[in-house]
Amino acid sequence: MSFNNTNTDILVVSNEATFDLREPANTQPLRQAGAFAAFTVDFLIYPLDTIKTRVQSPDYRRLYTSNGTVNRSLFRGLYQGIGSVVLATLPSSGAFFTTYEASKTFLHAINPLLPSSPTTPLIPLPILHAAASSTGELVSCFILTPAEVLKQNAQMVVRDASSSSSNTQASDGNATRQAFNKFRSNPSQLWRGYTALVARNLPFTAMQFPLFEFLRTKIYKSRERQGLRSGTLLETGLVTAFSAGSAGTLAAVVTTPIDVVKTRIMLAAATGSGDEGQREKLIKEMQAQGKDAKAEIEKAQQAARGGRAGGVAVGREILRTEGVKGLFRGGALRGAWTAAGSGLYLGVYESGRRYLERRRVGDEGLAPY
């Protein structure tokens, strides 16, 4: 599952980590600390997500550039839309865990044992767990999609440069309300991009965690050969953070084309719910800025078609009009925040897990270190 929604990507990490990293017996404090850490990290990196959404938007040049250079509007209202994601995170996380546990129990129950080895299941457990995780992701994304659609459309609400920071035309709440108003006539549009969100999150997780485990194991073995392995919480945190950040960066960059398609579909969902007045307003804005209205409107219409077309069609349209470079818009930003978010979260999570595990062992009368 994904917490990007601020970065729907950090919650992928937090959900997968909870069952993948061997928790100690008493996990309630760790889950609470993990949830707090996820929210904190997500809040800190949210501005990068906002900039990424704007860069991936088909309106990027029209709204955020002047004479070929980036203008200040790109960096205004960087926390617009965060409220909708915060509200959706807890129920989507709960749905993920509930569905995952139920699916895992069901798959274990129907998985037969090999006749030649009564203790060996026919289907390997990692495959069952991956299937259960994917099922949980499908349910979680269904809850997250409306929040992600609102978030990305709120991120695109243009703030008034003459407004002060305390009295803006589009504060976070106001921007979210403006985005929501676009869907009043057709609320079902809030689920546009569900398939694209799932298509991004599943391969992201599938790539990140095997690579994360591989890198972490390699680093530990290398330190053991060099006689540098200390087993301290600091070493655990640093090695985990580096491995998770590196794996997350690669997975984020590789899945950027899917993320771009997702962004276009979700932004176009609001366009598809609008009226003809929006088109006239757009024409006047572009003419006032001295821009080629015909070319820009064609792009806007292509974006609107994206709200109704499938992900493959949208990807082909981006490739046709913008080339390969267009499919990787925002890839560097996405890689940077995933490195920071995954590294910080999993580093803190794994250090906390080890700390609680050692404290529990110490309470049982054994050496904690």
Short mmCIF file of all heavy atoms in Angstrom, two decimals, residues 142-164:
data_model
loop_
_atom_site.label_atom_id
_atom_site.label_comp_id
_atom_site.label_asym_id
_atom_site.label_seq_id
_atom_site.Cartn_x
_atom_site.Cartn_y
_atom_site.Cartn_z
N PHE A 142 -8.54 1.14 -3.40
CA PHE A 142 -9.91 1.56 -3.66
C PHE A 142 -10.31 2.68 -2.70
O PHE A 142 -11.04 3.61 -3.08
CB PHE A 142 -10.88 0.38 -3.49
CG PHE A 142 -12.30 0.71 -3.86
CD1 PHE A 142 -12.70 0.74 -5.19
CD2 PHE A 142 -13.24 1.00 -2.88
CE1 PHE A 142 -14.01 1.06 -5.53
CE2 PHE A 142 -14.54 1.31 -3.21
CZ PHE A 142 -14.93 1.35 -4.54
N ILE A 143 -9.81 2.62 -1.46
CA ILE A 143 -10.10 3.67 -0.48
C ILE A 143 -9.23 4.90 -0.73
O ILE A 143 -9.67 6.05 -0.58
CB ILE A 143 -9.87 3.14 0.94
CG1 ILE A 143 -10.84 1.98 1.23
CG2 ILE A 143 -10.04 4.24 1.99
CD1 ILE A 143 -10.57 1.27 2.54
N LEU A 144 -8.00 4.68 -1.15
CA LEU A 144 -7.06 5.77 -1.35
C LEU A 144 -7.29 6.58 -2.63
O LEU A 144 -6.95 7.76 -2.69
CB LEU A 144 -5.62 5.24 -1.37
CG LEU A 144 -4.96 4.98 -0.02
CD1 LEU A 144 -3.61 4.31 -0.23
CD2 LEU A 144 -4.78 6.27 0.75
N THR A 145 -7.86 5.94 -3.64
CA THR A 145 -7.99 6.61 -4.94
C THR A 145 -8.73 7.95 -4.87
O THR A 145 -8.23 8.95 -5.41
CB THR A 145 -8.65 5.68 -5.96
OG1 THR A 145 -7.81 4.54 -6.18
CG2 THR A 145 -8.85 6.39 -7.30
N PRO A 146 -9.91 8.04 -4.23
CA PRO A 146 -10.57 9.36 -4.17
C PRO A 146 -9.70 10.41 -3.48
O PRO A 146 -9.67 11.57 -3.92
CB PRO A 146 -11.84 9.07 -3.36
CG PRO A 146 -12.08 7.61 -3.53
CD PRO A 146 -10.73 6.99 -3.61
N ALA A 147 -8.99 10.01 -2.42
CA ALA A 147 -8.12 10.96 -1.72
C ALA A 147 -6.97 11.40 -2.61
O ALA A 147 -6.57 12.57 -2.61
CB ALA A 147 -7.58 10.32 -0.43
N GLU A 148 -6.44 10.46 -3.39
CA GLU A 148 -5.34 10.79 -4.30
C GLU A 148 -5.81 11.71 -5.42
O GLU A 148 -5.10 12.64 -5.81
CB GLU A 148 -4.75 9.50 -4.87
CG GLU A 148 -3.60 9.71 -5.85
CD GLU A 148 -2.29 10.06 -5.19
OE1 GLU A 148 -2.27 10.27 -3.96
OE2 GLU A 148 -1.28 10.13 -5.91
N VAL A 149 -7.02 11.46 -5.94
CA VAL A 149 -7.57 12.31 -6.99
C VAL A 149 -7.78 13.73 -6.46
O VAL A 149 -7.40 14.72 -7.10
CB VAL A 149 -8.89 11.74 -7.53
CG1 VAL A 149 -9.59 12.74 -8.45
CG2 VAL A 149 -8.63 10.44 -8.29
N LEU A 150 -8.37 13.85 -5.27
CA LEU A 150 -8.58 15.16 -4.66
C LEU A 150 -7.25 15.84 -4.38
O LEU A 150 -7.09 17.04 -4.61
CB LEU A 150 -9.38 15.02 -3.36
CG LEU A 150 -10.88 14.79 -3.50
CD1 LEU A 150 -11.51 14.61 -2.13
CD2 LEU A 150 -11.55 15.95 -4.22
N LYS A 151 -6.29 15.07 -3.86
CA LYS A 151 -4.99 15.64 -3.52
C LYS A 151 -4.32 16.22 -4.75
O LYS A 151 -3.86 17.38 -4.73
CB LYS A 151 -4.09 14.56 -2.92
CG LYS A 151 -2.69 15.05 -2.58
CD LYS A 151 -1.68 13.93 -2.59
CE LYS A 151 -1.31 13.53 -4.01
NZ LYS A 151 -0.21 12.55 -4.06
N GLN A 152 -4.27 15.45 -5.83
CA GLN A 152 -3.54 15.92 -7.00
C GLN A 152 -4.25 17.11 -7.66
O GLN A 152 -3.59 18.02 -8.16
CB GLN A 152 -3.34 14.78 -7.99
CG GLN A 152 -2.39 13.70 -7.45
CD GLN A 152 -1.75 12.89 -8.55
OE1 GLN A 152 -2.42 12.18 -9.27
NE2 GLN A 152 -0.43 12.97 -8.64
N ASN A 153 -5.58 17.11 -7.65
CA ASN A 153 -6.28 18.26 -8.22
C ASN A 153 -6.16 19.48 -7.32
O ASN A 153 -6.10 20.61 -7.81
CB ASN A 153 -7.76 17.90 -8.46
CG ASN A 153 -7.96 17.10 -9.73
OD1 ASN A 153 -8.03 17.66 -10.82
ND2 ASN A 153 -8.03 15.78 -9.60
N ALA A 154 -6.10 19.27 -6.00
CA ALA A 154 -5.87 20.39 -5.08
C ALA A 154 -4.46 20.95 -5.24
O ALA A 154 -4.25 22.16 -5.13
CB ALA A 154 -6.10 19.94 -3.64
N GLN A 155 -3.50 20.08 -5.52
CA GLN A 155 -2.13 20.53 -5.72
C GLN A 155 -2.01 21.45 -6.94
O GLN A 155 -1.09 22.26 -7.02
CB GLN A 155 -1.20 19.33 -5.89
CG GLN A 155 -0.94 18.57 -4.60
CD GLN A 155 -0.17 17.28 -4.81
OE1 GLN A 155 -0.26 16.66 -5.87
NE2 GLN A 155 0.61 16.87 -3.83
N MET A 156 -2.94 21.32 -7.87
CA MET A 156 -2.90 22.11 -9.10
C MET A 156 -3.70 23.41 -9.00
O MET A 156 -3.72 24.18 -9.95
CB MET A 156 -3.43 21.27 -10.27
CG MET A 156 -2.53 20.11 -10.66
SD MET A 156 -0.90 20.65 -11.21
CE MET A 156 -1.33 21.62 -12.65
N VAL A 157 -4.38 23.63 -7.87
CA VAL A 157 -5.10 24.89 -7.69
C VAL A 157 -4.08 26.02 -7.58
O VAL A 157 -3.18 25.98 -6.76
CB VAL A 157 -5.99 24.85 -6.43
CG1 VAL A 157 -6.59 26.23 -6.16
CG2 VAL A 157 -7.10 23.82 -6.60
N VAL A 158 -4.22 27.03 -8.42
CA VAL A 158 -3.25 28.13 -8.47
C VAL A 158 -3.56 29.13 -7.38
O VAL A 158 -4.68 29.62 -7.27
CB VAL A 158 -3.28 28.83 -9.85
CG1 VAL A 158 -2.28 29.98 -9.87
CG2 VAL A 158 -2.95 27.81 -10.93
N ARG A 159 -2.53 29.44 -6.60
CA ARG A 159 -2.70 30.41 -5.52
C ARG A 159 -2.47 31.82 -6.03
O ARG A 159 -1.71 32.06 -6.96
CB ARG A 159 -1.71 30.11 -4.38
CG ARG A 159 -1.94 28.78 -3.72
CD ARG A 159 -0.94 28.51 -2.64
NE ARG A 159 -1.07 29.48 -1.55
CZ ARG A 159 -0.52 29.30 -0.35
NH1 ARG A 159 0.20 28.23 -0.11
NH2 ARG A 159 -0.66 30.21 0.59
N ASP A 160 -3.12 32.76 -5.38
CA ASP A 160 -2.99 34.17 -5.74
C ASP A 160 -1.68 34.71 -5.16
O ASP A 160 -1.47 34.70 -3.95
CB ASP A 160 -4.17 34.95 -5.16
CG ASP A 160 -4.19 36.40 -5.60
OD1 ASP A 160 -3.23 36.80 -6.31
OD2 ASP A 160 -5.15 37.10 -5.24
N ALA A 161 -0.79 35.17 -6.03
CA ALA A 161 0.51 35.66 -5.58
C ALA A 161 0.40 36.86 -4.67
O ALA A 161 1.29 37.14 -3.87
CB ALA A 161 1.38 36.02 -6.79
N SER A 162 -0.71 37.63 -4.76
CA SER A 162 -0.86 38.82 -3.93
C SER A 162 -1.36 38.53 -2.54
O SER A 162 -1.38 39.40 -1.68
CB SER A 162 -1.83 39.80 -4.61
OG SER A 162 -3.12 39.21 -4.70
N SER A 163 -1.77 37.27 -2.30
CA SER A 163 -2.28 36.91 -0.99
C SER A 163 -1.14 36.65 -0.05
O SER A 163 -0.08 36.18 -0.42
CB SER A 163 -3.16 35.64 -1.09
OG SER A 163 -4.25 35.86 -1.95
N SER A 164 -1.37 36.92 1.22
CA SER A 164 -0.35 36.65 2.23
C SER A 164 -0.39 35.20 2.60
O SER A 164 -1.32 34.48 2.31
CB SER A 164 -0.61 37.51 3.48
OG SER A 164 -1.83 37.11 4.10
#
